[in-house]
Amino acid sequence: MYRSRPENLNLLNFRFPLTAIASITHRITGILLFAAMPVVLYFLDQSLQSEAAFEQVKEDFLGNSAGRFLLWLILSVTAYHLCAGIRHLIMDFGYLEGLKSGRMAAIVVFVLAGVLAVLAGVWIW
Amino acid sequence: MVTRITGLTKNGLTDFVLQRFSAYVMLAYGVFLFFLLASSPSHAQLKETFSTPIVQWSSLLVVLLLSAHAWIGLWTIGTDYIRERAFGRFDVWLRSIYQLGSAALIVFYVIWSIQILWSS
Ligand code: HEM
């Protein structure tokens, strides 16, 4: 492979198109989901432990605003990664890859994830 | 440029397919989880659900596929950013530490998951 290709990745030079923002957000939500795994596993662990632990963990997460916010954040991040992931899977089949359709799909992903985040909020609060 | 290939399967295409396959399976499992949670289960119901062999083994499968998914994803991110351009001659060192850290976390999650799934 050519080893000395010119590269310009000074991020401040770019104006980011919507599709690039959709892509980096997918990446960030992937990292966040990975970071959230201990919380999810802790939740499952406590829920299965005993009746008392189940009530306690429910109280810890749903009984105060910090816990609710954390739970909402995890659900919203999941919603985004899921929607953007499905967009990826559709693109695997050769759709939504044009300039216009790609942009449109990015918008749909943002809107859909937004709606799901609101619904998650309604569910939790 | 990153020349060392330490993805999950030593083959980019296999990694790619594995990341897609795991995404499909997690989607299906996600639907199951959603309906389970939406039914506001009691502790007894949850415990009963998670002590059936089908749920235990499919949960384990999902945990393993998720680990592959996360490994491949985190590796991609590492090789994109932890590079010579940004980190000079320390890049391989830093990337190795990052990779070891990710691997350790994934192993920890898997062991914890097994413990949760089979202790109830
Ligand atoms: C808790 C579970 C999950 C975690 C921790 C996770 C994590 C990640 C990470 C770190 C990446 C790498 C992002 C990148 O390379 O930019 C990624 C990529 C991806 N994820 Fe997930 N993910 C999870 C669930 C899902 C689900 C349920 C889907 C199903 C729609 C999905 C679909 C994808 C796809 C298609 C990619 C590849 C994107 C690409 O090729 O650039 N993920 N995930």
Side-chain angles (χ1 to χ4, degrees):
Chain A
M1 202 188 291
Y2 218 41
R3 280 189 172 244
S4 54
R5 288 173 301 184
E7 293 181 84
N8 170 22
L9 278 189
N10 179 355
L11 295 180
L12 301 174
N13 267 347
F14 287 110
R15 271 193 64 236
F16 290 99
L18 205 63
T19 39
I21 299 173
S23 172
I24 193 65
T25 313
H26 187 221
R27 178 160 276 196
I28 293 168
T29 53
I31 296 173
L32 287 178
L33 278 178
F34 187 69
M37 290 228 8
V39 180
V40 176
L41 286 177
Y42 176 76
F43 199 99
L44 182 65
D45 189 19
Q46 294 300 305
S47 304
L48 293 173
Q49 204 79 242
S50 68
E51 188 75 51
F54 178 67
E55 292 305 328
Q56 184 61 46
V57 78
K58 247 168 87 170
E59 177 63 26
D60 287 347
F61 278 92
L62 292 167
N64 63 83
S65 27
R68 281 204 203 107
F69 180 71
L70 183 62
L71 211 56
W72 174 79
L73 203 64
I74 293 176
L75 285 180
S76 305
V77 161
T78 309
Y80 184 88
H81 193 84
L82 204 100
C83 292
I86 292 173
R87 170 170 173 258
H88 253 289
L89 298 178
I90 295 174
M91 288 195 300
D92 289 348
F93 291 96
Y95 300 104
L96 308 180
E97 291 183 324
L99 200 56
K100 254 191 164 158
S101 61
R103 206 185 137 77
M104 200 60 220
I107 295 175
V108 170
V109 164
F110 277 121
V111 171
L112 211 61
V115 170
L116 287 175
V118 170
L119 288 180
V122 171
W123 193 18
I124 291 173
W125 271 279
Chain B
M1 192 167 77
V2 174
T3 50
R4 252 171 244 212
I5 301 170
T6 48
L8 188 58
T9 60
K10 295 188 175 159
N11 178 321
L13 182 61
T14 317
D15 274 9
F16 175 89
V17 171
L18 203 54
Q19 201 172 31
R20 312 294 136 156
F21 179 70
S22 57
Y24 285 113
V25 177
M26 284 192 286
L27 260 177
Y29 190 81
V31 173
F32 156 73
L33 264 192
F34 174 78
F35 280 106
L36 181 65
L37 287 182
S39 70
S40 302
S42 66
H43 165 71
Q45 284 166 326
L46 263 187
K47 208 173 153 82
E48 198 193 321
T49 306
F50 276 95
S51 52
T52 50
I54 308 170
V55 176
Q56 281 174 322
W57 287 101
S58 48
S59 299
L60 179 62
L61 178 75
V62 166
V63 166
L64 294 178
L65 284 174
L66 194 153
S67 304
H69 184 95
W71 178 294
I72 296 163
L74 292 175
W75 176 85
T76 310
I77 294 171
T79 53
D80 272 356
Y81 301 130
I82 310 179
R83 298 170 58 177
E84 210 178 341
R85 180 179 42 239
F87 297 96
R89 59 199 169 83
F90 298 111
D91 68 330
V92 176
W93 267 95
L94 281 174
R95 209 165 53 249
S96 304
I97 293 170
Y98 166 84
Q99 199 61 48
L100 275 174
S102 318
L105 273 177
I106 290 173
V107 169
F108 173 67
Y109 292 165
V110 169
I111 294 176
W112 191 10
S113 303
I114 294 175
Q115 200 200 333
I116 293 172
L117 287 168
W118 269 275
S119 69
S120 63

